[in-house]
Amino acid sequence: MRDFKSIESKWQKIWDSCDDFHAVNMSKKPKYYLLVEFPYPSAQGLHVGHLRSYVALDIVARKRRMQGYNVLYPMGWDAFGLPTENYAIKNNIHPRTVTEQNVKQFKKQLKSVGISFDWKREINTTSSNYYKWTQWIFSKLFEKGLATKEETTVNWCSSCKCVLANEEVVGGQCERCGADVTQKKKKQWILKITKYAQRLIDDLKLVDFPDRVKTQQTNWIGRSEGAKISFPTNVGEDLTIFTTLPETIFGVSHIIVAPEHKFIDKFKDKIKNIDEVLEYRKKVSKVKKEERTDANKAKTGVKILGITAKNPVNGKEVPVFVSDYVLVDHGTGVVMAVPAHDQRDFDFVQKYKIEFISVMQENPETGKMEMINSDFLNGLDVISARKKIIEYVSEKKIGEKHVSYKLRDWIFARQRYWGEPIPIINCEKCGPVLEKNLPLILPDIENFKTSENGESPLCLTDWIHTKCPKCGRDALRETDTMPQWAGSSWYFLRYLDPENDECLASKESINYWMPVDWYNGGMEHTTLHLLYSRFWHKFLYDIGVVNTPEPYKKRTSHGMILGNNNEKMSKSRGNVVNPNDVVEEYGADVIRLYEMFMGDFEKSAPWSDESIKGCKRFLDKYWNLKDIVSDEPNIRENFVSDFNKTIKKVGNDIENLKFNTAIASMMDLIGKIKDSGQITREELKIFTILLNLFAPHVTSEIWETMGFEGNINFVEWPNYDESLISSEFKEIVVQINGKVRDTFLIDSDLDDEELIKKSKEQPKIKELIKNKQITKEICARNKLVNLVIN
RNA sequence: GCUGGUAUGGCGGAAUAGGUAGACGCAAGGGACUUAAAAUCCCUCGGUAGCGAUGCCGUAUCGGUUCAAGUCCGAUUACCAGCACCA
């Protein structure tokens, strides 16, 4: 019997005390840097979903070591964040204590599945020697003008008196107390990621990411070309609109300003119905952005009385409205409405009875859209009209071509305790000044609740009082902390040199290890973490800290593991699988194998308590191979060919994320070995190496028991003999009218003509084509013949 | 609503460039071993007609391209992930 418990704990102890998985900087071997998203150490403990990612790259890591690489496969903790803070508040424990407990639990769990992480490089975003460098990067961003304070809106719960994360707002109400959530204005730190928008799109060319990740990022950044055009008003200040369809300007029926737009405040004396407008603004502040722009939602708005605008191309006077489907932080916060060619504008005018005209029509002769009712644009196609109108407005200095991005700047401040302090001192005279003494330590406090005015609890401490480094006067520290994304935006650099106190990582270590060769993570991080970290890396590249414009050479994504009812695992659904229980019942090797076998790695797959048994049986069969080792070569037909095929397939499949079929081919081979009842020592050795990547414990035990030479962790990855793979005979499929009717074997390649001739000679085919007219004969890749008959 | 995906037996899933649909595993049924059970081993296993050889149908739905479609194209439906998104 395979006693997995004692085998696994034995090898885990050995790996813990040896340096096999420790990567050495500047080794002469070629480097290979494998990265998985480091976990947020939650109180729930490790999830089977974490393991899917970690085991997959553990397989690659073990393979690369056998292929002679110096492999870096590190692990750490992304430990700042809201859930820990909330847990701390609720249970009255310091978040640091909670974090320590959770990290301990996670680490124990990870070790129990035998993942070959380099534990000597463990990092933790909440330790001061780590966040010292997160703060340092912020300082550099501040120095370069990429970190500034700007007016933003936050979710505000007037009952809890605190700022809420989007996640904490459920159906427009506070998740905790159920009170209505409103939008409140607040000056906050933002990072100007939009300055990098174009490069973040362009440099996707440099990296090997799945297409779905690249398109998702490109669409998220959302480049659109259009024009800014100024509409003069009767109050002496222009309203500048942004449009992607400037050619439709002759069809403008009215102008819409976002309800929050400053223009309204500036000219409130001129607005006759200002009370109505402000009332509307108040109403809108309660509506979520997604709802505001929902195309199916009935359009609302208010006409601004007392202000009118003029269409700059034809001098026509147009009314001005406010409506919530125009967002203040998008484009210029003002749009021109063209109801004939925009559904939302059309819906709006239906309600407010505004007249409008069409400016495009299909030409009945050419079938193409062309301009009408548009003065000098008439008769032009859309593309030419766009070009011409942009030339026109530029010449008249009433507008210009403009590239707009959907990407918004990154709000980089949270009114929370459990995050990196922003190293800024607010001096009344000097404004915001950098704290030079890093790390700026997060002080220990006892009450983690936000204060009554919605500021971080840090504002209630003495810690905030300091002197301005510039002028020496009394000044206050910034009390907002960084968002949880900060630490994870550069962590892959800290692994290279985790103890360094002089810089975030030494130049040599960066030059040696970067870029990350293979980064695996979840699709859910495509547009936030993955983009943020690319942004930070590009910034570090610009200031000469790193040597590559992109941090990750290759990115892959794993699918989610669902509960056995095919739904997302969650406590409330009661379908959570605890890895501890599985390891206890079946062992680490089985859970590793099963998670890789359960389905296509890139797609989601439901957990099955039944299916996992197949993986246990497979390992039992493997364990028993040692009893049938023989000196005689296996005489089963095609055995050598099958064996070589398996070596090839396992190797290739791993590179292509096809772990499931790699395992299937090993299962297939073990069936063949068992059928023949024998295996040679050498064959068992090779099989053991292949399986070691997936099931390292049991294979290490067999390696030792059988007395195979060398350290299995560094044994040479087996080669296969291509000439032994192709079997002597090739099967040719014969179809008639696309349906398979017969097959036959050939022992050497034939040309198409001979193949067709031979196909027709097959007795069954001969019978079927008797007295029939053959109208077409197709021969494909020396593999298939198709005869088309009437 | 928007963006990106996904859809194949009872179930998880296989199927290099369009070329034998259902590899491998689970479950189920039958059998062997056993006093019995577990474990293990052997056989069957998409639907349908047939004793059988074999035929016909079948990859979410509808349509198209092709000698040939799970695979390519168009539309539809359902499900999953993300959302800051209309200009």
Side-chain angles (χ1 to χ4, degrees):
Chain A
M1 264 308 280
R2 183 171 64 93
D3 177 4
F4 67 82
K5 280 189 183 163
S6 62
I7 292 173
E8 290 180 357
S9 70
K10 167 184 163 184
W11 288 99
Q12 281 162 17
K13 269 182 208 144
I14 291 172
W15 296 331
D16 234 7
S17 60
C18 76
D19 265 346
D20 283 4
F21 307 136
H22 176 51
V24 183
N25 284 2
M26 275 54 93
S27 134
K28 286 207 179 82
K29 287 182 187 178
K31 67 98 182 181
Y32 204 88
Y33 185 0
L34 287 156
L35 185 69
V36 285
E37 285 165 355
F38 63 160
Y40 177 73
S42 68
Q44 282 87 44
L46 196 73
H47 189 272
V48 286
H50 288 118
L51 286 182
R52 200 178 193 196
S53 175
Y54 305 163
V55 171
L57 288 207
D58 188 47
I59 288 165
V60 179
R62 289 174 183 272
K63 182 168 179 239
R64 290 289 182 272
R65 286 190 201 102
M66 291 179 184
Q67 290 173 315
Y69 287 91
N70 182 26
V71 172
L72 173 56
Y73 189 37
M75 181 41 59
W77 318 106
D78 186 16
F80 274 130
L82 193 61
T84 301
E85 180 161 339
N86 285 341
Y87 183 91
I89 293 169
K90 205 171 154 192
N91 300 287
N92 202 24
I93 315 176
H94 196 288
R96 188 169 300 285
T97 315
V98 179
T99 299
E100 276 164 13
Q101 287 169 359
N102 293 347
V103 163
K104 210 170 149 194
Q105 164 73 355
F106 265 70
K107 195 167 172 181
K108 190 177 153 204
Q109 288 183 294
L110 284 175
K111 289 203 171 183
S112 80
V113 285
I115 295 175
S116 63
F117 288 129
D118 180 354
W119 286 108
K120 289 192 170 162
R121 292 170 182 261
E122 181 180 349
I123 57 169
N124 187 326
T125 56
T126 66
S127 77
S128 59
N129 82 21
Y130 182 92
Y131 69 69
K132 171 180 179 178
W133 299 104
T134 313
Q135 290 171 332
W136 181 83
I137 296 170
F138 177 87
S139 307
K140 294 290 151 191
L141 286 160
F142 177 76
E143 283 171 5
K144 300 285 173 189
L146 291 165
T148 57
K149 245 185 164 175
E150 277 180 27
E151 185 124 293
T152 57
T153 54
V154 291
N155 301 309
W156 175 253
C157 175
S158 49
S159 166
C160 301
K161 301 260 188 275
C162 76
V163 177
L164 299 178
N166 284 341
E167 198 186 57
E168 298 172 296
V169 183
V170 181
Q173 295 179 326
C174 174
E175 188 185 42
R176 275 172 282 179
C177 70
D180 282 349
V181 174
T182 57
Q183 304 296 306
K184 191 178 166 183
K185 282 190 179 170
K186 183 168 169 41
K187 264 201 141 184
Q188 300 201 90
W189 286 98
I190 61 120
L191 297 186
K192 293 190 170 169
I193 186 173
T194 49
K195 285 255 187 320
Y196 281 75
Q198 193 60 50
R199 281 167 68 191
L200 287 167
I201 295 174
D202 292 344
D203 287 357
L204 285 171
K205 284 200 288 281
L206 307 176
V207 293
D208 175 17
F209 288 9
D211 283 342
R212 64 188 200 279
V213 171
K214 285 190 182 183
T215 27
Q216 187 87 316
Q217 285 207 348
T218 306
N219 291 346
W220 177 263
I221 297 167
R223 180 194 159 96
S224 60
E225 275 185 31
K228 276 186 179 175
I229 300 173
S230 296
F231 282 59
T233 64
N234 61 335
V235 292
E237 185 170 312
D238 292 352
L239 277 170
T240 302
I241 60 100
F242 172 70
T243 175
T244 53
L245 306 169
E247 67 277 11
T248 61
I249 191 161
F250 287 95
V252 171
S253 60
H254 59 286
I255 293 287
I256 307 179
V257 178
E260 302 88 346
H261 204 284
K262 280 182 186 153
F263 189 90
I264 295 166
D265 303 291
K266 190 163 177 188
F267 297 101
K268 57 177 180 246
D269 298 341
K270 302 276 168 64
I271 300 172
K272 289 177 186 158
N273 59 338
I274 185 71
D275 291 346
E276 195 189 354
V277 172
L278 292 180
E279 183 60 31
Y280 181 73
R281 178 189 272 179
K282 202 173 159 191
K283 215 173 89 194
V284 167
S285 76
K286 290 178 186 163
V287 184
K288 272 182 101 177
K289 259 165 213 157
E290 292 145 58
E291 275 173 57
R292 281 175 62 162
T293 56
D294 191 332
N296 288 340
K297 198 202 67 163
K299 298 287 168 292
T300 61
V302 174
K303 188 172 181 176
I304 301 181
L305 302 172
I307 292 183
T308 55
K310 240 182 208 167
N311 188 331
V313 294
N314 59 9
K316 206 182 129 193
E317 191 165 281
V318 288
V320 181
F321 284 76
V322 285
S323 174
D324 64 351
Y325 74 91
V326 175
L327 303 175
V328 70
D329 48 12
H330 203 92
T332 58
V334 188
V335 303
M336 61 179 207
V338 186
H341 308 289
D342 184 295
Q343 187 61 45
R344 286 156 319 176
D345 294 343
F346 181 78
D347 295 343
F348 192 84
V349 293
Q350 291 303 299
K351 195 166 168 186
Y352 294 93
K353 307 271 183 300
I354 307 165
E355 282 183 20
F356 65 93
I357 54 164
S358 286
V359 290
M360 273 184 228
Q361 206 173 53
E362 197 181 290
N363 182 322
E365 283 168 33
T366 61
K368 282 187 181 163
M369 293 300 276
E370 57 182 49
M371 307 308 297
I372 53 163
N373 296 328
S374 294
D375 198 345
F376 57 88
L377 299 179
N378 282 341
L380 293 175
D381 63 83
V382 174
I383 302 294
S384 318
R386 185 170 303 169
K387 214 176 143 199
K388 191 155 182 182
I389 189 73
I390 290 174
E391 276 169 21
Y392 177 84
V393 296
S394 307
E395 213 171 276
K396 299 263 173 188
K397 301 211 184 316
I398 50 172
E400 60 187 359
K401 185 175 170 179
H402 183 77
V403 177
S404 168
Y405 297 93
K406 291 181 188 172
L407 183 72
R408 292 201 330 219
D409 280 328
W410 176 7
I411 299 174
F412 198 70
R414 303 289 183 266
Q415 295 68 45
R416 294 282 173 170
Y417 170 72
W418 194 230
E420 300 89 344
I422 293 177
I424 288 284
I425 294 154
N426 294 307
C427 170
E428 272 186 21
K429 186 175 164 233
C430 312
V433 181
L434 275 180
E435 167 64 63
K436 288 274 171 4
N437 281 327
L438 300 183
L440 173 60
I441 302 280
L442 180 68
D444 275 339
I445 59 171
E446 275 169 23
N447 174 16
F448 315 110
K449 281 188 187 157
T450 53
S451 68
E452 285 280 296
N453 55 7
E455 298 298 332
S456 152
L458 288 173
C459 78
L460 302 173
T461 62
D462 289 342
W463 173 84
I464 61 166
H465 299 289
T466 184
K467 302 277 182 204
C468 171
K470 261 193 191 164
C471 67
R473 288 165 198 241
D474 285 346
L476 294 177
R477 291 192 186 280
E478 174 65 57
T479 59
D480 280 2
T481 54
M482 299 187 197
Q484 171 241 354
W485 304 108
S488 62
S489 292
W490 70 281
Y491 74 113
F492 46 88
L493 294 170
R494 192 60 179 171
Y495 284 135
L496 311 181
D497 198 4
E499 302 300 328
N500 198 320
D501 202 37
E502 303 296 312
C503 50
L504 55 81
S506 73
K507 262 247 145 35
E508 302 84 68
S509 67
I510 291 172
N511 289 339
Y512 177 75
W513 286 112
M514 287 302 286
V516 172
D517 291 280
W518 188 338
Y519 187 21
N520 186 72
M523 264 322 268
E524 71 275 16
H525 288 121
T526 302
T527 50
L528 297 176
H529 159 67
L530 199 61
L531 204 63
Y532 290 152
S533 58
R534 289 183 59 221
F535 160 48
W536 273 34
H537 196 78
K538 284 188 179 309
F539 171 71
L540 293 173
Y541 179 69
D542 290 348
I543 62 168
V545 173
V546 297
N547 58 335
T548 56
E550 285 287 331
Y552 320 116
K553 197 164 160 187
K554 169 177 174 162
R555 166 80 178 187
T556 55
S557 277
H558 58 270
M560 217 193 300
I561 297 183
L562 306 170
N564 50 17
N565 54 355
N566 232 316
E567 285 175 31
K568 197 172 171 170
M569 279 190 194
S570 71
K571 260 192 197 164
S572 57
R573 290 192 181 91
N575 60 354
V576 175
V577 176
N578 184 338
N580 289 359
D581 299 341
V582 185
V583 170
E584 177 65 24
E585 188 175 354
Y586 294 104
D589 285 336
V590 171
I591 193 174
R592 291 172 58 112
L593 203 65
Y594 175 60
E595 289 213 11
M596 292 299 102
F597 183 64
M598 67 195 305
D600 184 336
F601 181 70
E602 298 186 87
K603 290 185 196 153
S604 63
W607 184 273
S608 163
D609 293 327
E610 296 297 334
S611 275
I612 195 171
K613 289 177 185 163
C615 293
K616 178 198 176 287
R617 284 178 199 145
F618 169 62
L619 289 187
D620 287 341
K621 284 179 198 165
Y622 163 75
W623 176 253
N624 293 331
L625 287 183
K626 63 185 182 340
D627 303 331
I628 56 165
V629 171
S630 150
D631 293 335
E632 299 297 315
N634 199 313
I635 45 143
R636 190 190 152 90
E637 203 183 341
N638 290 331
F639 184 77
V640 177
S641 161
D642 288 337
F643 207 93
N644 275 275
K645 264 186 207 161
T646 306
I647 298 171
K648 181 180 179 180
K649 186 155 178 62
V650 170
N652 290 348
D653 282 357
I654 288 170
E655 300 305 323
N656 296 318
L657 295 167
K658 300 289 175 196
F659 305 104
N660 52 341
T661 50
I663 294 167
S665 72
M666 287 190 282
M667 287 174 164
D668 210 14
L669 184 62
I670 218 165
K672 283 167 181 156
I673 294 167
K674 287 197 55 115
D675 282 353
S676 60
Q678 62 187 68
I679 184 171
T680 63
R681 254 183 83 83
E682 187 57 23
E683 285 161 350
L684 177 58
K685 185 177 168 185
I686 293 173
F687 198 96
T688 299
I689 297 170
L690 300 183
L691 186 58
N692 174 259
L693 315 183
F694 299 84
H697 308 84
V698 65
T699 45
S700 294
E701 184 68 16
I702 290 285
W703 190 266
E704 191 185 70
T705 317
M706 294 298 296
F708 293 136
E709 276 198 20
N711 180 344
I712 190 170
N713 293 323
F714 298 104
V715 75
E716 194 185 338
W717 180 251
N719 290 313
Y720 56 89
D721 187 339
E722 188 72 54
S723 68
L724 293 173
I725 288 177
S726 46
S727 73
E728 214 177 320
F729 295 100
K730 230 179 216 172
E731 195 184 38
I732 301 297
V733 174
V734 189
Q735 297 183 331
I736 291 177
N737 291 346
K739 288 190 175 170
V740 180
R741 286 297 180 245
D742 205 1
T743 61
F744 64 93
L745 296 174
I746 53 169
D747 54 7
S748 61
D749 284 0
L750 299 176
D751 64 32
D752 289 3
E753 207 172 305
E754 283 174 289
L755 217 49
I756 290 167
K757 185 164 164 258
K758 207 151 179 207
S759 301
K760 290 184 192 165
E761 283 165 4
Q762 300 303 311
K764 204 178 151 190
I765 301 298
K766 215 168 176 176
E767 187 62 27
L768 285 164
I769 60 174
K770 201 164 70 181
N771 304 327
K772 295 277 164 66
Q773 181 83 32
I774 297 178
T775 55
K776 203 160 185 176
E777 295 167 343
I778 283 129
C779 193
R781 281 190 257 142
N782 214 354
K783 196 176 170 187
L784 175 142
V785 169
N786 188 13
L787 304 172
V788 184
I789 62 172
N790 292 340

